[in-house]
Amino acid sequence: MSLAISLKSEFLKTKRSPTWILTLIMAAFAPVFMLLVFQEEQDGHVSDDIARVSKDAWNFYHYQGWGIISMVFLPMFVVLMSTLLPQIEFRNHTWKQVFAAPQSLAKLYFSKFLLFQFFILAFIALHIILVGVSGYFSGILNPRFNFSGNHLDWTKTLTQLGKTYVAILALSTFQFWMGMRFKSFLVPIGVGVLMSILGMINMIGFPVVDAAKYFFNYSGFIVIKSNAAKVPYVLWSSAAYAAAFLILGFLDFTRIKER
């Protein structure tokens, strides 16, 4: 069985799972929040943001959306999805049938990992689309923000989101390993949420360790402007962590026979 066939099989398994709905809902949080928050008037007074936003409305709007998902919603989505996908097998008690299929453990493991990465990319793509929809309606509701008189810098926007994807690779491979490793969904979710919260406190509140070495919050780290000089190091570190966790996760996967 080829990797492409294994991957197709994994896609079919998601048909009746909540993975697609979760992706859409999580991707919609930031655009909906922004539509509600960005108002010309705040408490009956004209917003101080009008002059700043109207100069470059679309890029400002997408930048805010990028910051929100990178800090909060993308890491949360990664933690939840990395647990939900392996639970398809755990919940239905189908691991024995999966192992009995004519495919190598490598194809099985990496097809599941590629499926996981697909959903992360789908989340980012949906985010771009929904921020565009949100910005369109925000422009109608708040004409003084001057959305119609500005254009989006696609190169800058896609570069930002591309960096976010690389930055989240470390967390995604680690959480994927945890999701495949533990039958109980509470363990990977608990580890991911707890370590992300501690990392956020360390990064913006009470620094204890160097945030540039703490991979749980890399996607949020690169958004903070004062960290710009360390972004290349963080992106390379994320790729290195991802490679290490992917190998360790696969080796661990080959050792576990009972699931």
Side-chain angles (χ1 to χ4, degrees), residues 82-100:
S82 64
T83 304
L84 185 59
L85 288 173
Q87 283 298 314
I88 294 175
E89 311 292 1
F90 285 122
R91 188 177 61 250
N92 297 322
H93 306 287
T94 54
W95 275 115
K96 288 185 178 179
Q97 292 129 310
V98 170
F99 285 133

Side-chain angles (χ1 to χ4, degrees), residues 1-2 18-19 33 59 76 95 108 113 118 132 142 151-153 176 179 191 201-202 207 215-216 228 242 254 257-258:
M1 186 183 294
S2 68
T19 51
F33 174 77
N59 288 312
M76 188 186 305
W95 275 115
L108 173 60
F113 178 74
F118 166 82
N142 308 283
H151 300 283
L152 178 65
D153 185 341
F176 179 73
V191 170
I201 295 172
N202 176 75
F215 68 86
F216 283 93
T254 61
K257 300 300 180 183
E258 294 295 330

Side-chain angles (χ1 to χ4, degrees), residues 79 83 175 185-196:
V79 170
T83 304
Q175 287 297 137
F185 68 91
L186 294 175
V187 176
I189 288 181
V191 170
V193 171
L194 176 62
M195 298 306 288
S196 294

Side-chain angles (χ1 to χ4, degrees), residues 159-248:
T159 299
Q160 290 171 340
L161 291 171
K163 288 180 179 179
T164 297
Y165 175 71
V166 175
I168 206 71
L169 274 175
L171 177 63
S172 70
T173 49
F174 177 81
Q175 287 297 137
F176 179 73
W177 176 13
M178 294 296 101
M180 294 288 283
R181 179 65 177 81
F182 295 101
K183 184 175 182 179
S184 172
F185 68 91
L186 294 175
V187 176
I189 288 181
V191 170
V193 171
L194 176 62
M195 298 306 288
S196 294
I197 292 174
L198 291 176
M200 188 70 71
I201 295 172
N202 176 75
M203 184 170 63
I204 62 177
F206 303 93
V208 177
V209 300
D210 185 359
K213 295 181 173 64
Y214 192 83
F215 68 86
F216 283 93
N217 298 99
Y218 274 175
S219 63
F221 182 91
I222 67 171
V223 173
I224 301 173
K225 291 183 178 180
S226 59
N227 294 335
K230 294 183 178 180
V231 168
Y233 169 81
V234 164
L235 296 181
W236 280 108
S237 295
S238 180
Y241 274 125
F245 291 143
L246 194 59
I247 293 170
L248 290 173

Side-chain angles (χ1 to χ4, degrees), residues 138-160:
S138 183
I140 294 175
L141 296 172
N142 308 283
R144 280 182 287 186
F145 281 153
N146 193 31
F147 277 90
S148 60
N150 290 277
H151 300 283
L152 178 65
D153 185 341
W154 279 102
T155 301
K156 183 179 180 180
T157 298
L158 293 177
T159 299
Q160 290 171 340

